[in-house]
Amino acid sequence: MKSKMILAAATMAALVAGCAAVQTAMEYNPTVHQVAMPDDTYRVFEHPKGDRIMTTASLGRATGQSLTRGITLGIVAPETPEQLHEAAARKYLDDTGREDCRIIRGYLLGQPQYEFFFECH
């Protein structure tokens, strides 16, 4: 019984976290920018405030990761590391003429999306 309660609590926490990630993602402009990197082509979205961007893996990679996670019941989690998302965010800033901007922090919104805050001088 105790293990069922723990599983239910973990499931609820995951659902709440997932809802928060979706809500944050909805704040972004819907225009998708493609950034080709050696490992994947990332999708990048800009926030209307102009102080952050969101990166996500290509649709193919994101779908594959979700399927693998689901089929293996979460035992295998083939997530793209944050460093690769940050490299894509850096390239996007460079490609859009913001080489002087620096990424000040980033974090996982919810697989496969990361949010990076940046400041420009």
Side-chain angles (χ1 to χ4, degrees), residues 32-93:
V32 180
H33 305 276
Q34 304 287 329
V35 176
M37 299 296 288
D39 66 305
D40 194 13
T41 297
Y42 291 81
R43 295 173 292 149
V44 180
F45 302 84
E46 288 218 35
H47 195 277
K49 289 185 179 180
D51 64 344
R52 67 195 92 156
I53 54 180
M54 179 178 65
T55 63
T56 185
S58 65
L59 288 174
R61 178 173 275 185
T63 301
Q65 289 172 345
S66 293
L67 287 172
T68 302
R69 226 179 358 266
I71 290 169
T72 64
L73 303 175
I75 294 170
V76 177
E79 318 306 0
T80 305
E82 181 177 346
Q83 296 85 347
L84 296 177
H85 280 269
E86 185 171 346
R90 173 77 265 152
K91 185 173 186 320
Y92 174 74
L93 290 172

